[in-house]
Amino acid sequence: MAKKLTYYDYLRQEMTDMVEQLEIPDLCKQSLKSRWLDQVVWADKKAEQCRRWHYRLRLTTIVGGVVLPALVGINFQLGKDNEYFRIWFPYVPFVLSQVIAVSAATEEFLRFGDRWREYRKLAEELKAEGWEYLQLSGPYRYKTHEEDDSPPPLSRSRMSEVNVEDWKALKPPTENKESTTHQDVYTLFAGRIESLIKNDVQSYIATLQQKQAKEQEQIKQILTTAEKVSTDKTLFAQRTPGPQLPPYGAANPPNNGFGAMGIPAQPAAFNAPGNATGYAIAPVPLANTPMPPQTAFAQPPAAFAPPPAPSAPMPQPTVAQPPAAFAPPPAPTPMAFAQPPAALAAAPSASAPMPQTAIADLNARILASTLKLRGMSTADGPDGGNNACAWTVNKVMQDAGLSPLGSNPNYVPAVLDALKQGRGQLVSRESSKAGDLVVANGEAHIGIGLTDCCSRVLSNSSSRACFLWESDTDFDGYYGGQSTIYRLKS
């Protein structure tokens, strides 16, 4: 019995048969099968594998999270009614919770969902490009193409947003055009395939660099926190013991606010300069201090005599009225807080906005460099100038003496992330100025405003590989939506 072919074997076999029927040299056929067809099958297979693992891990996390509370509730009930369940059933919720945690951590680390979408996008773009070449449609329909100031070719990720009128406007005229063959447009097809693969690799590397930068920032924050904790001496300082009372019967007790025989002194004695609080404090006599005779208060003794020996009991006084020494202390006087000195006044916020003069100076420098580089060839940029809009903007930044934008200066989303993370600020169309950066809808293109309100924008022309495409704020409606405008701050 013959082995059943998988979908990928079927796809490879069908595409191979179609390539063999093309009227092109054998070397070109072999290149198509080794480069284009192999990439199509590989991307399709990787997309299916990532999709399968993404569904497995996500369903495990979702279903386990729903079932776990129910198992915990059942555990309490079964533990009361059945001794057998009380022994082994508590392990079930524990194991399930660990499975949920491992599943969520694995999905977060390996990112099967994101990888599935990236591989599927690459596979479908390669398939669509191959079908257009095999059917001699789209960009492979005619042998020659006129050089004009038309906008760059529309990316496949934006095709779904273009309406019928836009397609009619983009459709080239049919007069004076000759039909082409597969041999005539083979080099164009090979170049577009390599461009798709290169863009996918650049997007992957840019995403990886952003993720690594965030991880390094988190590591720096952890190390900074650990260093502060290790150098904070207050966390390891020994506690200072409080003042000790002298032993009973000491000959010369210190002046700690107590008089002879442990009797408190007058409250006014506690209003000394050493009392930082400014309150009048009257301590309560010790509970185990025996009371002196009433006659002891008639005349103050000349000297503090030692108390009698413990074997001789002291006579108990009969106190009709409490002595003045035991009168309650006066109410504390509220503290008056003076106004804080000027040295302690709040310092100006470090996050104060940049002066408008500095921002205007940046805009002037960017505009001057833009006008200086207008008409510059972008053939040295990505894909021979076909995808060089971000590259061109960073060339202007370099000429203006500014640091490049984005972790990947050739990738528009990376430039936009740098603007959002502090390099720029979002401005409205009415308040925009010449020199502001204009990002097309969908982050597919970027240019520099030439006038106030950015009514005219200069950007790279893909068809001519030159910095001379002048359009309106929305790039003449080519990207199917409104643009966003950012003003550089640094």
Side-chain angles (χ1 to χ4, degrees):
M1 183 176 179
K3 182 179 179 181
K4 185 178 180 180
L5 293 177
T6 63
Y7 168 74
Y8 309 106
D9 295 334
Y10 167 77
L11 179 63
R12 186 183 294 274
Q13 182 177 346
E14 288 294 320
M15 291 297 181
T16 301
D17 294 341
M18 296 184 68
V19 170
E20 290 295 337
Q21 297 178 18
L22 299 178
E23 296 179 358
I24 57 177
D26 293 339
L27 179 60
C28 295
K29 293 180 181 179
Q30 185 63 30
S31 299
L32 282 176
K33 291 184 288 186
S34 300
R35 184 59 170 168
W36 169 71
L37 183 56
D38 181 72
Q39 286 292 318
V40 170
V41 176
W42 176 81
D44 212 334
K45 185 180 295 185
K46 293 294 290 184
E48 179 62 24
Q49 292 176 355
C50 292
R51 183 189 67 85
R52 190 180 301 115
W53 276 106
H54 173 68
Y55 281 171
R56 289 173 180 172
L57 295 174
R58 291 295 295 168
L59 285 176
T60 301
T61 304
I62 294 172
V63 175
V66 173
V67 174
L68 182 61
L71 292 179
V72 173
I74 295 174
N75 181 28
F76 285 106
Q77 186 63 31
L78 293 180
K80 299 177 182 179
D81 301 339
N82 193 313
E83 183 178 359
Y84 177 72
F85 279 104
R86 186 166 60 248
I87 295 175
W88 66 269
F89 194 80
Y91 293 100
V92 176
F94 171 76
V95 173
L96 180 59
S97 64
Q98 296 303 306
V99 171
I100 295 172
V102 171
S103 176
T106 305
E107 169 63 21
E108 176 66 22
F109 179 73
L110 297 178
R111 300 187 307 111
F112 284 115
D114 296 338
R115 293 167 61 186
W116 162 40
R117 289 183 285 271
E118 292 171 359
Y119 286 131
R120 175 56 60 198
K121 178 176 178 291
L122 176 62
E124 295 303 325
E125 287 183 344
L126 291 173
K127 287 180 184 179
E129 201 71 38
W131 280 113
E132 286 184 349
Y133 173 70
L134 293 174
Q135 297 173 351
L136 294 179
S137 62
Y140 311 103
R141 184 176 181 181
Y142 301 106
K143 181 181 298 186
T144 59
H145 296 273
E146 294 181 354
E147 292 290 338
D148 53 13
D149 290 337
S150 61
L154 188 67
S155 60
R156 296 190 177 278
S157 61
R158 306 292 304 162
M159 286 184 177
S160 60
E161 301 182 10
V162 179
N163 52 31
V164 177
E165 288 73 15
D166 294 330
W167 278 114
K168 291 179 179 180
L170 294 174
K171 183 178 180 181
T174 57
E175 61 272 15
N176 300 327
K177 296 292 184 178
E178 299 180 5
S179 298
T180 185
T181 62
H182 292 95
Q183 177 63 28
D184 295 334
V185 294
Y186 173 78
T187 55
L188 176 61
F189 172 71
R192 292 175 70 94
I193 291 299
E194 293 301 325
S195 177
L196 287 175
I197 298 175
K198 186 186 298 184
N199 288 340
D200 180 73
V201 173
Q202 290 178 351
S203 176
Y204 171 76
I205 293 176
T207 304
L208 186 62
Q209 289 176 346
Q210 293 178 1
K211 183 178 180 181
Q212 290 178 346
K214 292 180 180 179
E215 292 177 351
Q216 292 177 358
E217 186 65 25
Q218 293 176 354
I219 292 174
K220 289 181 180 179
Q221 294 178 357
I222 294 175
L223 293 177
T224 302
T225 304
E227 183 178 358
K228 289 181 179 179
V229 173
S230 61
T231 57
D232 191 355
K233 297 181 179 181
T234 60
L235 297 178
F236 305 97
Q238 295 183 356
R239 183 177 179 181
T240 304
Q244 300 294 331
L245 294 176
Y248 182 78
N252 295 314
N255 185 15
N256 56 0
F258 289 84
M261 304 296 295
I263 301 175
Q266 294 296 331
F270 286 85
N271 294 328
N275 186 3
T277 60
Y279 288 100
I281 304 174
V284 181
L286 301 178
N288 57 356
T289 303
M291 296 294 294
Q294 179 65 21
T295 57
F297 296 97
Q299 296 293 332
F304 294 103
S311 59
M314 298 186 68
Q316 297 297 327
T318 302
V319 182
Q321 295 294 333
F326 293 93
T333 304
M335 291 187 295
F337 294 94
Q339 295 295 330
L344 300 180
S349 175
S351 61
M354 180 181 291
Q356 295 298 325
T357 55
I359 298 179
D361 181 64
L362 285 179
N363 278 40
R365 290 163 57 186
I366 295 172
L367 179 60
S369 298
T370 302
L371 298 177
K372 174 184 175 182
L373 299 179
R374 182 169 187 165
M376 173 189 64
S377 173
T378 58
D380 295 336
D383 301 332
N386 187 35
N387 293 308
C389 57
W391 179 85
T392 305
V393 169
N394 274 300
K395 280 291 184 182
V396 174
M397 297 296 112
Q398 181 181 359
D399 185 79
L402 303 175
S403 57
L405 292 169
S407 57
N408 182 2
N410 301 333
Y411 191 47
V412 178
V415 174
L416 185 58
D417 288 343
L419 293 173
K420 292 180 178 179
Q421 293 174 4
R423 291 293 303 276
Q425 70 179 63
L426 183 66
V427 297
S428 63
R429 186 169 305 196
E430 294 76 13
S431 61
S432 60
K433 301 292 183 181
D436 290 342
L437 304 183
V438 183
V439 181
N441 182 37
E443 305 175 12
H445 195 65
I446 189 171
I448 302 175
L450 297 177
T451 60
D452 289 346
C453 300
C454 292
S455 57
R456 304 306 299 169
V457 179
L458 187 66
S459 61
N460 176 56
S461 174
S462 299
S463 60
R464 303 185 66 176
C466 193
F467 185 38
L468 50 72
W469 181 27
E470 185 173 338
S471 62
D472 62 6
T473 312
D474 298 325
F475 299 95
D476 298 334
Y478 181 71
Y479 295 97
Q482 293 187 352
S483 303
T484 53
I485 305 174
Y486 288 86
R487 181 165 299 159
L488 201 66
K489 298 195 299 185
S490 62

